Amino acid sequence: MASKIFCIANQKGGVGKTTTTVNLAAGLAQIGQRVLVVDLDPQGNATMGSGIDKRKLEMTVYDVLLESATVAEARTRADKAGYDVLGANRELAGAEVELVELERREARLKAALAAADADYDFVLIDCPPSLSMLTLNGLCSAHGVIVPMQCEYFALEGLTDLVNTIKQIHANLNRELEIIGLLRVMFDPRITLQQQVSDQLKSHFGDKVFDSVIPRNVRLAEAPSYGLPGVVFDPSSKGAIAFVDFAKEMVRRIATMR
Ligand code: ADP
Ligand code: MG
């Protein structure tokens, strides 16, 4: 069966993209899905957070983007997390400049992933906090975008740029691309403002808002320092349970996708 490819994107930093990527991946793996995480951020947080030392990688997504390696050659198994990782480190920052010179520069990742299509049920792409050439490669590869967001005062405003970018890419480069959903993360129901913004999101975006809600949970924040997704680090924590629920919701969602 072919894989479904999702970008975890939001042009803001620190909103929970990487946490969502590794924990959704681990949650999906736990319910029997074959998963590849693609780290498209030169910071390499998704790589490290999956228990893979970014400084020791022989090949990374950089080599794949420059077509000096295939996905099968460059991927690493994250044993404890239960999925494969196409890792990243600082070298990837150079790809930004090098890609500009090349043909089909925005479609490199898409072509590389096509060759690994039969190996995975889900490919999750952790995007950097910008709308750069790297993010563009992610968005051109994907069937859909998962947007993690905190329910803060400016949350809706921040979405406009991303929504417009996705519309443009849909129109010009990738007819399949759509926002799959907005994921409320770091949610604290005791904060009235967060409840209000959450209600606004639902009235504005309707069923594009995922049912699952990820609470603010310190275990999710502690897990990366152990090289594990929170779902594996402390499976009984509220954050882990929420991400496994979200994984199940994603499996239901893809059943309704074409
Ligand atoms: P991004 O990839 O968008 O920059 P991260 O996933 O790295 O964001 O999250 C930013 C910070 O917030 C990290 O320190 C992370 O551990 C923490 N964090 C993310 N989600 C949660 C959560 N649900 N509860 C508590 N801390 C969280
Ligand atoms: Mg990140």
Side-chain angles (χ1 to χ4, degrees), residues 117-156:
D117 193 42
D119 298 353
Y120 301 103
D121 301 304
F122 284 87
V123 176
L124 304 179
I125 304 173
D126 188 24
C127 290
S130 61
L131 299 171
S132 60
M133 185 58 70
L134 292 170
T135 301
L136 190 60
N137 260 275
L139 293 173
C140 285
S141 315
H143 300 109
V145 186
I146 296 167
V147 185
M149 53 187 308
Q150 288 171 256
C151 291
E152 290 171 339
Y153 187 63
F154 289 115
L156 278 170

Side-chain angles (χ1 to χ4, degrees), residues 12-229:
K12 280 177 73 178
V15 291
K17 290 182 292 296
T18 300
T19 305
T20 299
T21 305
V22 300
N23 283 287
L24 174 58
L28 287 167
Q30 213 172 80
I31 57 174
Q33 304 291 307
R34 301 166 304 156
V35 185
L36 173 69
V37 164
V38 179
D39 193 349
L40 266 191
D41 189 335
Q43 291 188 53
N45 292 346
T47 305
M48 297 294 279
S50 302
I52 292 161
D53 191 342
K54 64 182 178 185
R55 292 153 301 197
K56 293 186 180 151
L57 286 172
E58 276 172 29
M59 280 185 268
T60 68
V61 68
Y62 172 86
D63 301 284
V64 170
L65 287 170
L66 295 181
E67 292 179 350
S68 57
T70 64
V71 171
E73 288 164 346
R75 68 190 167 196
T76 312
R77 182 73 185 167
D79 277 320
K80 289 184 188 144
Y83 52 79
D84 287 352
V85 177
L86 189 51
N89 53 32
R90 283 178 52 198
E91 191 183 33
L92 182 58
E96 193 72 54
V97 180
E98 289 165 60
L99 280 171
V100 170
E101 311 269 297
L102 304 175
E103 303 253 309
R104 303 174 295 105
R105 59 189 173 216
E106 74 288 333
R108 295 266 167 147
L109 184 63
K110 183 187 172 82
L113 288 174
D117 193 42
D119 298 353
Y120 301 103
D121 301 304
F122 284 87
V123 176
L124 304 179
I125 304 173
D126 188 24
C127 290
S130 61
L131 299 171
S132 60
M133 185 58 70
L134 292 170
T135 301
L136 190 60
N137 260 275
L139 293 173
C140 285
S141 315
H143 300 109
V145 186
I146 296 167
V147 185
M149 53 187 308
Q150 288 171 256
C151 291
E152 290 171 339
Y153 187 63
F154 289 115
L156 278 170
E157 218 169 286
L159 269 182
T160 316
D161 283 347
L162 184 63
V163 169
N164 287 336
T165 302
I166 290 169
K167 274 188 190 151
Q168 277 183 27
I169 294 173
H170 176 89
N172 299 305
L173 294 167
N174 178 4
R175 297 300 300 178
E176 287 188 84
L177 191 67
E178 57 170 326
I179 291 190
I180 299 298
L182 307 176
L183 178 66
R184 291 162 286 172
V185 298
M186 299 190 224
F187 192 73
D188 185 345
R190 292 167 304 184
I191 300 175
T192 312
L193 177 65
Q194 294 208 3
Q195 276 294 355
Q196 288 169 347
V197 173
S198 173
D199 291 344
Q200 268 180 25
L201 274 182
K202 279 196 275 188
S203 60
H204 204 273
F205 290 97
D207 63 5
K208 289 279 179 197
V209 181
F210 289 112
D211 295 333
S212 310
V213 179
I214 310 300
R216 183 172 284 284
N217 179 237
V218 69
R219 303 300 270 168
L220 291 173
E222 289 167 351
S225 60
Y226 296 86
L228 291 172

